[in-house]
Amino acid sequence: MESKLVIYNTLTRQKERFEPINAPHVGMYVCGPTVYGDPHLGHARPAITFDLLFRYLRHLGYKVRYVRNITDVGHLEHDADEGEDKIAKKARIEQLEPMEIAQHYTRRYHQAMDAMGVLRPSIEPCATGHIIEQQQLVKQIIDNGFAYESNGSIYFDIEAYNRQYKYGILSGRSLENIKDASRDNLDGVGEKHHQADFALWKKAQPEHIMRWPSPWSDGFPGWHCECTAMGRKYLGEQFDIHGGGLDLVFPHHECEIAQAQAAMGHQAVKYWMHNNMITINGQKMGKSLGNFITLEQFFTGNHPLLTKSYSPMTIRFFILSAHYRGTVDFSDEALQAAEKGLEKLQNAIADMERITVSTQCDSETERTVKTLRQRCYDAMNDDLATPQVISILFEASTVVNKLVDHKATICAECLNELKEVMHLFAEDILGLNVQRSTSNAQREEAFGRVVDMVLDLRAKAKAAKDWATSDKIRDELAAAGFEVKDTKDGVTWKLAK
């Protein structure tokens, strides 16, 4: 199939037409969470970004195998292979087994993602379940001359790799810059040949709980190994898309590229895609910085920066309102705007059921409806331009309001197209739950029947020239919160804001 989808490839620093290696099959790997704390807004962005891509690729007819990992071992406190394992540290503080920590926060992550409409990936492998694959990867890299043993730990030899290949192609950093930065950050080389070398396998200290036997020592895999090993296991030696947050470009994804090349002699990934950060006052939101707000706090409103609670769909809409490669600066005001935007879309989709069909469309409505689908596709095909898609759906919402108020006309064919496109892009592709809850829908249906009955009585009063009763009914409805309009085509009503 010929694809019109264009995506930005971080590796080449340009937009490229998406052409899968083995169409119609698509292999996609996305870095998932390190499960040692409750998921926060920073976790929501990559999950929603690549859920959007997953949905759209499947809609286009591709058979997608989507792999998103769970990091439950090996992610140390510092990128320079120093400090305690994040999960082991949490387990020590909570006086629990590390796997209790990993299982608890994996469940919490799933609950939050489910609430925001994030589809489960095809495969969700854990690092601890793939120790053998990671050891095999390390052995290949050693055998090919790009790693060395030091005191029972195995380190990737960046200088040896750089003599044959080029380290830094994803981030654009030179080896000298990387080595200089490493010298600035840490005193002494320790057991590494160069401080910029990174761990493939770490010998466990006596107090380290999470450990496995290996040819080199009882220890645990380096953080970067898991994604390379599991991506290869489930997607093959070459696959289409690797995604994650922009903060993973260096060192994590840079190291993944080096590991794959060192082990197999070629790169594994064709397109590297990265979502930008969620920020608070211009600073990245994250656990390590202590400035994060958990998704549970958004859903309950229990945080000093929040004036109220926000629904999971509001959070999803907030994230999709910005392009995935742009930064999103959090504020309570921005969330309130997202809430109003989502409500506008929900109201329009619900109100489509109240539109009266005419024999023909007026010219503006016909033009809007007949270009709606292609305009949405054009926006999605341009590197997943969700702000444009939402803007186009808002234009359609304005048309819906005019149709409900009898200020425009639409034929049956165009109304069916309008409904289909609105549901397709708002629900199936953007993943927004735009349907009212069952109780709300039942309540509104009851409201509708009662108001229609009262308005019928008002129409009879007007026909009998009983103006006092007619005006009283209108005024009483207004006092109850209903806005009634008399138009040349009849009477319309809606709940006042």
Side-chain angles (χ1 to χ4, degrees):
M1 63 173 64
E2 182 182 354
S3 173
K4 294 183 179 179
L5 174 62
V6 172
I7 56 177
Y8 184 85
N9 189 350
T10 309
L11 186 63
T12 60
R13 295 167 182 75
Q14 63 183 9
K15 290 182 183 179
E16 297 178 4
R17 186 174 299 281
F18 178 65
E19 296 176 343
I21 297 167
N22 295 305
H25 300 280
V26 172
M28 180 169 77
Y29 188 101
V30 175
C31 290
T34 301
V35 282
Y36 69 104
D38 273 337
H40 57 71
L41 196 60
H43 292 118
R45 194 169 196 196
I48 290 170
T49 295
F50 292 101
D51 177 65
L52 171 77
L53 180 59
F54 183 35
R55 288 169 177 270
Y56 192 54
L57 288 172
R58 293 203 308 182
H59 169 71
L60 294 178
Y62 293 111
K63 300 180 185 300
V64 186
R65 179 177 291 171
Y66 175 18
V67 180
R68 186 186 67 206
N69 69 297
I70 295 290
T71 297
D72 56 358
V73 69
H75 196 167
L76 304 187
E77 292 177 282
H78 308 297
D79 286 338
D81 304 317
E82 303 292 337
E84 198 170 355
D85 183 291
K86 292 182 178 184
I87 291 167
K89 180 180 180 180
K90 183 77 170 181
R92 177 174 55 77
I93 293 170
E94 299 288 337
Q95 295 185 319
L96 295 169
E97 280 291 322
M99 283 300 101
E100 286 183 273
I101 295 295
Q103 288 294 319
H104 173 73
Y105 288 113
T106 298
R107 284 194 296 270
R108 297 282 288 174
Y109 178 79
H110 284 153
Q111 288 165 358
M113 296 306 125
D114 290 348
M116 293 186 298
V118 174
L119 301 176
R120 296 288 179 98
S122 315
I123 301 172
E124 193 173 49
C126 296
T128 53
H130 298 78
I131 300 298
I132 291 173
E133 288 84 355
Q134 293 175 79
Q135 290 181 355
Q136 289 171 339
L137 174 70
V138 174
K139 187 175 185 305
Q140 277 185 293
I141 296 172
I142 293 172
D143 290 346
N144 290 342
F146 298 111
Y148 57 89
E149 182 178 353
S150 181
N151 297 328
S153 293
I154 306 295
Y155 292 98
F156 191 92
D157 191 334
I158 288 182
E159 284 205 330
Y161 175 83
N162 205 56
R163 283 194 291 269
Q164 185 167 340
Y165 303 107
K166 180 173 170 52
Y167 185 79
I169 58 173
L170 186 67
S171 62
R173 304 185 186 201
S174 71
L175 182 58
E176 288 307 312
N177 287 340
I178 294 166
K179 289 163 67 176
D180 288 344
S182 299
R183 280 193 291 269
D184 290 341
N185 291 335
L186 292 166
D187 294 328
V189 170
E191 61 187 25
K192 302 179 184 181
H193 290 175
H194 298 282
Q195 196 61 55
D197 294 348
F198 58 89
L200 299 174
W201 184 265
K202 287 282 283 185
K203 180 181 179 179
Q205 298 304 311
E207 69 275 8
H208 203 285
I209 303 172
M210 303 177 80
R211 60 174 67 216
W212 290 264
S214 81
W216 318 289
S217 63
D218 281 3
F220 54 93
W223 172 38
H224 311 303
C225 284
E226 60 175 299
C227 294
T228 305
M230 294 190 296
R232 180 169 68 174
K233 179 178 177 68
Y234 296 110
L235 298 175
E237 291 199 351
Q238 287 187 299
F239 57 92
D240 300 294
I241 298 169
H242 195 316
L246 195 62
D247 56 333
L248 297 179
V249 170
F250 185 88
H252 187 48
H253 290 167
E254 196 74 80
C255 293
E256 280 195 61
I257 288 176
Q259 287 172 161
Q261 188 110 44
M264 300 182 291
H266 59 78
Q267 290 187 41
V269 179
K270 186 174 181 180
Y271 303 97
W272 287 89
M273 296 181 68
H274 295 91
N275 63 273
N276 214 320
M277 299 295 99
I278 301 279
T279 58
I280 297 182
N281 298 322
Q283 187 180 40
K284 174 199 163 188
M285 178 182 285
K287 286 194 184 78
S288 59
L289 298 170
N291 65 350
F292 64 95
I293 303 175
T294 69
L295 293 171
E296 180 70 19
Q297 288 171 324
F298 280 108
F299 302 159
T300 61
N302 185 25
H303 192 279
L305 291 177
L306 301 173
T307 58
K308 56 177 292 188
S309 62
Y310 294 97
S311 72
M313 278 300 119
T314 297
I315 301 301
R316 186 179 181 102
F317 187 89
F318 170 66
I319 288 172
L320 293 173
S321 295
H323 191 273
Y324 78 90
R325 288 196 291 116
T327 56
V328 175
D329 199 46
F330 157 81
S331 70
D332 194 62
E333 294 75 16
L335 282 175
Q336 289 180 31
E339 186 175 60
K340 289 178 182 176
L342 176 61
E343 185 182 11
K344 178 179 179 179
L345 201 54
Q346 287 175 325
N347 288 340
I349 289 175
D351 286 347
M352 288 192 298
E353 300 307 317
R354 296 171 51 205
I355 293 172
T356 302
V357 174
S358 299
T359 55
Q360 62 182 18
C361 298
D362 65 84
S363 58
E364 182 183 353
T365 299
E366 184 176 27
R367 183 169 58 252
T368 300
V369 172
K370 288 194 172 179
T371 60
L372 182 62
R373 186 185 296 264
Q374 191 57 52
R375 290 176 67 205
C376 288
Y377 274 127
D378 289 345
M380 282 299 297
N381 286 336
D382 185 12
D383 196 28
L384 311 179
T386 53
Q388 282 70 33
V389 175
I390 290 171
S391 177
I392 294 163
L393 294 178
F394 278 169
E395 289 179 36
S397 300
T398 301
V399 171
V400 170
N401 293 337
K402 289 181 179 179
L403 291 165
V404 169
D405 289 342
H406 301 293
K407 294 178 180 177
T409 58
I410 191 168
C411 66
E413 182 183 350
C414 284
L415 180 57
N416 288 336
E417 173 70 359
L418 178 63
K419 288 180 178 180
E420 188 175 313
V421 175
M422 290 286 278
H423 282 291
L424 169 64
F425 282 92
E427 294 180 297
D428 298 347
I429 294 174
L430 294 185
L432 297 167
N433 180 4
V434 294
Q435 301 300 320
R436 308 287 177 81
S437 67
T438 303
S439 58
N440 284 345
Q442 290 171 340
R443 191 179 299 117
E444 288 188 12
E445 186 178 348
F447 277 155
R449 285 200 298 267
V450 172
V451 175
D452 287 341
M453 179 179 67
V454 172
L455 288 175
D456 186 52
L457 293 173
R458 179 172 178 259
K460 290 177 181 176
K462 288 178 73 175
K465 301 190 185 304
D466 183 357
W467 308 118
T469 300
S470 170
D471 290 345
K472 181 176 174 58
I473 291 173
R474 183 196 61 207
D475 294 342
E476 289 292 335
L477 283 171
F482 295 92
E483 185 179 315
V484 177
K485 287 184 181 179
D486 291 304
T487 72
K488 61 182 177 63
D489 296 310
V491 64
T492 66
W493 67 268
K494 64 181 178 181
L495 280 169
K497 298 293 183 187

